[in-house]
Amino acid sequence: MSQFWRLDGPLQTLVLAAKQKRLPQVIYWGPPLPASDDCTALAAAHALDVTGGMLDANPDLSICPEASQSFPGQPGLICRDALGCVLRPEFRFVKDLAQGKNLCLTYADEDLGLTYEAHFELTDSSNILTCWSRLEATQPLMLNWLAAPVFPATQLSDAMISFSGRWIGEFQTHSIPWRAGIHKRESRTGRSGHEHFPGLILPEIGARNTTGRAYGFHYGWSGGHQMIAEELPDGRRQIQFGHACDSHDGLAQSFETAKLHTVFSDNGFNGCGIAFQRHLRDHILTFPKASLPRPVHYNCWEAIYFDHDLASLKDIATRAKDLGAERFVLDDGWFGQRDDDSSSLGDWQIDARKYPDGLDPLIDHVKSLGLQFGLWVEPEMVNPDSNLYRAHPDWVLGPHDQLLGRQQMVLDMARDEVQSHLYDCISALLESYDIGYLKWDHNRILPLVNVTQTQGIYALLARLRAAFPHVEIESCASGGGRIDFGILQHCQRVWLSDSNDALERSQIQHGAALFLPSLVTGSHVGPRLCHTSGRVFDMRYRAWVAAQRHMGFEMDPRELEAQEAQVLSEVTQWYKDNRGWLATADILRLDSSDPSVLAEMQLASDASRFVVFFNQLHSAQQILPRPLRLTGLDPKARYVLHLRNRDEVSKLSRGAPLLKSQDLQASGAWLMTHGLHLPYAMPGSIWVVEGQKL
Ligand code: GLA
């Protein structure tokens, strides 16, 4: 006897089939199937041949592949009993519960006392299929690995797109060829990490940003994860995501993976990107007031570092306001005796040397300008040189002789007294001062990977948000070291990177757009001489890069020349004029056959308008810009396009591309096939083209 379950959304169908009460396998995942497709027939047609050197039947690539079934690859569950004996469960069907687009399947191995649950939730509006698994045991056991429900990967693919990164270089995309065996990514640093963003795109051969088929995965967990992409000897492929191995310290009886967000796209990588962007924006993020526009930030870090001086900060705030800022964030250096990064983390009291009258004089000034006040904190961390550490050396996570990171250690968030202490410290600040925003940092990797640490930070954030629902929180971890849909259940912004080098930032933004919508992605105009690259870019370039996401400034405004200030004010005003519709727009990455160009479109949710950013990163090999094809438009509709920054055309442009002097009218079909001819672009410049449906 076979069992079937089918989930149908507007853009995808998933079919699960199980034999003889065993765990099911995904037998179809792709574009919607007609209702007339009979699951029994699909399952029969899914059967594979057997030949020499194989078992007499193919073990199922089930949602939790079982070693007990002679599965020849990575099992979905690896655990031991309390005596250290390996358990090899044989799960059998117990029950199913299907409610609308949600499905929960329960299986048990009664001899071993194990119950396995797989959950699937299909969200039509975002096109995301979210799934997770749970394991319950009647006896304590030691878990090494539990995968969220396992998916087969398409064999019509020669490479996978995987993400790596580093400090000031997040979201680098790599095309990794499929080959026999396992491609494993594991973040064992206790963060989702710069190094291994927990995401994967599986393109079918020929897929690009705008065309072709692709499958997307994102594991929403901030504590370290493992991804397995494996090709079995028979050619089948599987994708597994779960917490990093051995994330559970001791014996336990209940385990749950984080949510694995998945999507099938018939519209290239962008179909995955917009599904993740929409799902995060519409189903995960919670804003205190969603209707309020994203305020333009001013963050003082790269202006003053630890050198806090009230008069200077007031002056900076006034100038930031004049440029268009709406939120002023006081970064590191206001507490304890923190004159550099060697001390005071843990001592969350105002430094009376720098602020003899507390923060009120600064906050009053900021508020008098009409700006909101935000504050930097790094609560999970402690410096050995701090009163907190001297009082509670036993509160740290990991061994006492561990290597320090940025001269700091991590508090053990599983301890109740740590939770209470941090809650008291942060809530005292939020009660004493008019603070609307916290930049919540996490500047070192953990000495060990541990699930309770992540549960602890989620619990603390949830408690603070419940008590102070008006306060927004930004997730920062030396830039983009903790970006994932888990932390974003509690935060409203990410500090994507410590790189304010506009060119590098635009590349990081481009990679991140496969998962993150614009409104959550912080982007600041940094100092003229970039502190992380030593490069200088024109203010026009720096400002337009920041205006592509949640805009802010981080330079010392006292360094700005009048012309720079004017450009920045104008672009900031453009951001303010457009942020309403941009907040719900899709970011669509454009395909350019020119590696010197990075281009994207932001298309309004009603598709009535868009903006194109054509970023000339470097000098091109050929003389003129190649035509830029747009995407996502109605082929039959007509559009009018306006080159917003026509005044930036350089003297080297001597010809007459239409957009240089007038607006262009064309059909969606023409724009998506022929593409735009833009004027010659200087390296390190951006064309901004606004489009409107007629
Ligand atoms: C991290 C952040 C920076 C800044 C510093 C302060 O590096 O990424 O933006 O807040 O900490 O110490």
Side-chain angles (χ1 to χ4, degrees), residues 568-626:
L568 183 54
S569 303
E570 284 170 11
V571 176
T572 305
Q573 192 55 51
W574 179 91
Y575 172 77
K576 289 181 178 175
D577 293 344
N578 289 278
R579 64 184 162 185
W581 69 269
L582 288 174
T584 55
D586 294 325
I587 306 173
L588 301 169
R589 299 171 13 136
L590 296 177
D591 290 315
S592 163
S593 51
D594 184 343
S596 71
V597 169
L598 200 67
E600 71 175 38
M601 248 173 101
Q602 299 194 22
L603 179 64
S605 53
D606 64 0
S608 65
R609 62 192 298 183
F610 60 85
V611 58
V612 174
F613 296 99
F614 175 97
N615 182 344
Q616 186 75 50
L617 299 169
H618 312 286
S619 298
Q621 279 185 356
Q622 74 292 347
I623 295 181
L624 294 178
R626 296 198 191 280

Side-chain angles (χ1 to χ4, degrees), residues 487-543:
I487 202 78
L488 283 166
Q489 293 175 87
H490 307 284
C491 301
Q492 291 73 34
R493 192 184 203 240
V494 296
W495 183 227
L496 188 64
S497 177
D498 274 352
S499 173
N500 286 327
D501 175 292
L503 187 147
E504 291 177 355
R505 188 78 177 200
S506 61
Q507 292 170 315
I508 300 168
Q509 289 178 177
H510 197 68
L514 288 170
F515 300 92
L516 302 178
S518 148
L519 85 171
V520 81
T521 310
S523 190
H524 295 175
V525 178
R528 185 186 304 121
L529 178 72
C530 175
H531 290 186
T532 51
S533 68
R535 283 199 281 202
V536 174
F537 285 104
D538 190 280
M539 177 55 87
R540 291 170 293 191
Y541 189 59
R542 286 148 64 202

